[in-house]
Structure formats: structure tokens, C-alpha cells
């Protein structure tokens, strides 16, 4: 996915077409911040006119959650793609054995 995203960014840059990576799902903000950095460092070298979606929810389930400041993603604090779930979240939401899927109506993360 990284290579195709880079290729799309390069082609879009060549033809003057803006690209806005989608980041509204679980862990997608943690991923697209890398694409935003790749775009800045390897493709455009610009921050003006660059967009990247941010949905401010579910970050509490990741060991290195996406963070923004003044409308821009900050660099990750750990190596990797930042999609490592916290162990307790993975256990709770694991299907079908996770507590989330049990019949216990009082189960809370």
C-alpha cells in the first residue's frame, strides 16, 4: 500500500491534482501521518495546500497514537507504522473470544 500511495502522490503532483488520504477508520490516522510525511519529504517539499484527514477518535487503543498540533500531524514517537494495538484493547475486541463479544452486558473496556 505504501508504494501505491507514493506512486499516486507522484502522479498527482505531476498533473497538479490534490490528494487527500482518507483516515476516518480505526488506525487509519496512525497510518496516513506517514504518508503525509512521505509527501512532504519525497514528493512536494511543501506544507501549503497539503491536506490529510484526521478523525479524533479511537487513538487510545494504539501504543503510538496519532497526534496533531496546529492542524498538522506530529512525527510518530516510535519506529514502525504506529498501528500496534495496546494489548488490553486487542484482548477486549478480539473476535470471537474478546470480552466485547460476550453476553456480559456490563463488559466495559
Amino acid at each position: 500500500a505504501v508504494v501505491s500511495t507514493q506512486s499516486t502522490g507522484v502522479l498527482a503532483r505531476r498533473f497538479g491534482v490534490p490528494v487527500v488520504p482518507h483516515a476516518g477508520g480505526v488506525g487509519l490516522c496512525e497510518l496516513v501521518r506517514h504518508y503525509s510525511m512521505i509527501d512532504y519529504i519525497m514528493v512536494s517539499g511543501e506544507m501549503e495546500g497539503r491536506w490529510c484527514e484526521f478523525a479524533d477518535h479511537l487513538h487510545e487503543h494504539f501504543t503510538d497514537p496519532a497526534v496533531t498540533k496546529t492542524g498538522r500531524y506530529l512525527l510518530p514517537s516510535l519506529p514502525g507504522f504506529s498501528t500496534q494495538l495496546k494489548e488490553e484493547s486487542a484482548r477486549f475486541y478480539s473476535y470471537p473470544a474478546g470480552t466485547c463479544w460476550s453476553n456480559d452486558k456490563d463488559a466495559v473496556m
Side-chain angles (χ1 to χ4, degrees):
V2 173
V3 172
S4 63
T5 302
Q6 287 175 322
S7 299
T8 301
V10 170
L11 282 169
R13 173 77 174 171
R14 167 68 176 87
F15 293 102
V17 177
V19 175
V20 183
H22 172 62
V26 179
L28 292 179
C29 289
E30 282 66 30
L31 283 172
V32 300
R33 65 178 163 172
H34 295 276
Y35 298 144
S36 180
M37 307 299 164
I38 289 168
D39 173 72
Y40 176 71
I41 294 168
M42 299 177 67
V43 179
S44 70
E46 301 173 1
M47 285 197 242
E48 293 305 312
R50 311 314 283 182
W51 303 284
C52 195
E53 184 178 15
F54 178 76
D56 196 14
H57 66 103
L58 303 173
H59 305 294
E60 68 273 12
H61 299 291
F62 294 90
T63 57
D64 189 17
V67 177
T68 61
K69 185 175 180 181
T70 62
R72 303 206 187 274
Y73 280 105
L74 299 181
L75 290 169
S77 61
L78 300 172
F81 275 112
S82 312
T83 56
Q84 178 67 45
L85 285 172
K86 290 182 178 176
E87 187 140 340
E88 59 270 18
S89 294
R91 243 190 337 271
F92 186 80
Y93 291 106
S94 178
Y95 185 82
T99 309
C100 172
W101 308 105
S102 73
N103 290 327
D104 182 359
K105 301 299 180 208
D106 296 322
V108 177
M109 167 77 187

